[in-house]
Amino acid sequence: MKHKFILNEIKNLKKILDLIKQNENKNFITLCKKTLVSLKKKKKIIFFGNGGSAADSQHLATELTVKYKKKRKAIAAIALTTDTSALTAIGNDFNFNKIFSRQLEAIGNSGDICIALTTSGNSMNLIEATKIAKKKKLITFCFSGNKGGKLKKYVDYPIIIPSNDTALIQIAELFLGQIFCDFLEKNI
């Protein structure tokens, strides 16, 4: 069959989603509930990641600040991946491992929700950022494949995507991110 590759990818994604469903990811439910409480206390959601996860961070922050499915009050969310001046200055003046942690030092407040997106869980800039977030008493989460990588031990609530396939991890992360946005929009 010419299109067997499409069916194979759909089958692989379905397996991942079935595993997520079976696990009833308690940390994802915690993310939804704790974020709702934080937003009601006038706190914000801070997303960050590298590469495709940087784009997903921006996507999710935009869904919340603008709208997901319906017009409503803006939800306080930001992606640390969007300020090219800060990213390049921090990378140049300090180093790449500090591009998110330095920004969190500046804008992170106790009770904010901090969400790292990653396929590997091993990026030092994400680990450094979560260390700073914990020092500042932000509530830390990650969406990660690769069994959470090293990052899972630095966050309060790791949300693990059961795969090592980068493309499928990113699809699942964005899918869960959209569910998260929908939950907030319906309950804020």
Side-chain angles (χ1 to χ4, degrees):
M1 174 183 239
K2 281 196 267 187
H3 306 294
K4 190 175 181 178
F5 71 97
I6 296 171
L7 297 175
N8 192 47
E9 287 301 305
I10 292 170
K11 182 180 84 176
N12 291 336
L13 178 59
K14 186 175 179 332
K15 281 182 194 175
I16 292 168
L17 295 177
D18 285 343
L19 285 170
I20 291 170
K21 180 181 170 184
Q22 288 170 9
N23 292 336
E24 296 179 31
N25 200 313
K26 290 182 178 117
N27 287 349
F28 182 75
I29 301 302
T30 300
L31 169 65
C32 293
K33 290 179 179 178
K34 285 194 176 286
T35 301
L36 200 54
V37 170
S38 290
L39 290 171
K40 288 178 180 178
K41 292 179 180 178
K42 305 293 184 206
K43 302 298 180 179
K44 64 188 164 298
I45 307 162
I46 304 170
F47 295 95
F48 53 94
N50 295 303
S53 296
D56 291 343
S57 295
Q58 293 169 219
H59 182 150
L60 295 172
T62 299
E63 297 283 28
L64 296 173
T65 57
V66 182
K67 74 177 191 113
Y68 178 62
K69 291 182 179 178
K70 65 179 184 176
K71 288 184 181 178
R72 41 108 181 121
K73 184 179 166 190
I75 295 172
I78 187 169
L80 299 182
T81 56
T82 58
D83 186 340
T84 54
S85 297
L87 294 170
T88 56
I90 295 164
N92 185 62
D93 295 349
F94 295 92
N95 67 54
F96 186 75
N97 290 343
K98 302 285 185 191
I99 63 169
F100 301 129
S101 61
R102 186 70 175 174
Q103 292 182 75
L104 281 175
E105 282 181 51
I107 68 164
N109 296 307
S110 176
D112 285 344
I113 300 294
C114 181
I115 306 171
L117 282 81
T118 175
T119 55
S120 72
N122 293 320
S123 300
M124 281 308 299
N125 58 359
L126 302 181
I127 291 169
E128 290 299 317
T130 55
K131 287 178 182 178
I132 290 296
K134 287 184 87 127
K135 281 183 188 173
K136 294 192 75 171
K137 296 184 178 12
L138 280 72
I139 305 165
T140 57
F141 294 85
C142 72
F143 288 104
S144 180
N146 192 33
K147 299 180 183 174
K150 295 173 187 168
L151 181 63
K152 75 178 172 194
K153 65 182 173 185
Y154 295 98
V155 299
D156 299 317
Y157 304 98
I159 299 164
I160 309 300
I161 309 301
S163 178
N164 290 324
D165 183 312
T166 298
L168 294 175
I169 295 165
Q170 287 176 331
I171 291 167
E173 285 177 343
L174 191 54
F175 179 65
L176 288 173
Q178 298 284 39
I179 294 169
F180 174 62
C181 292
D182 189 51
F183 172 84
L184 294 177
E185 190 166 84
K186 287 178 178 171
N187 292 284
I188 194 73

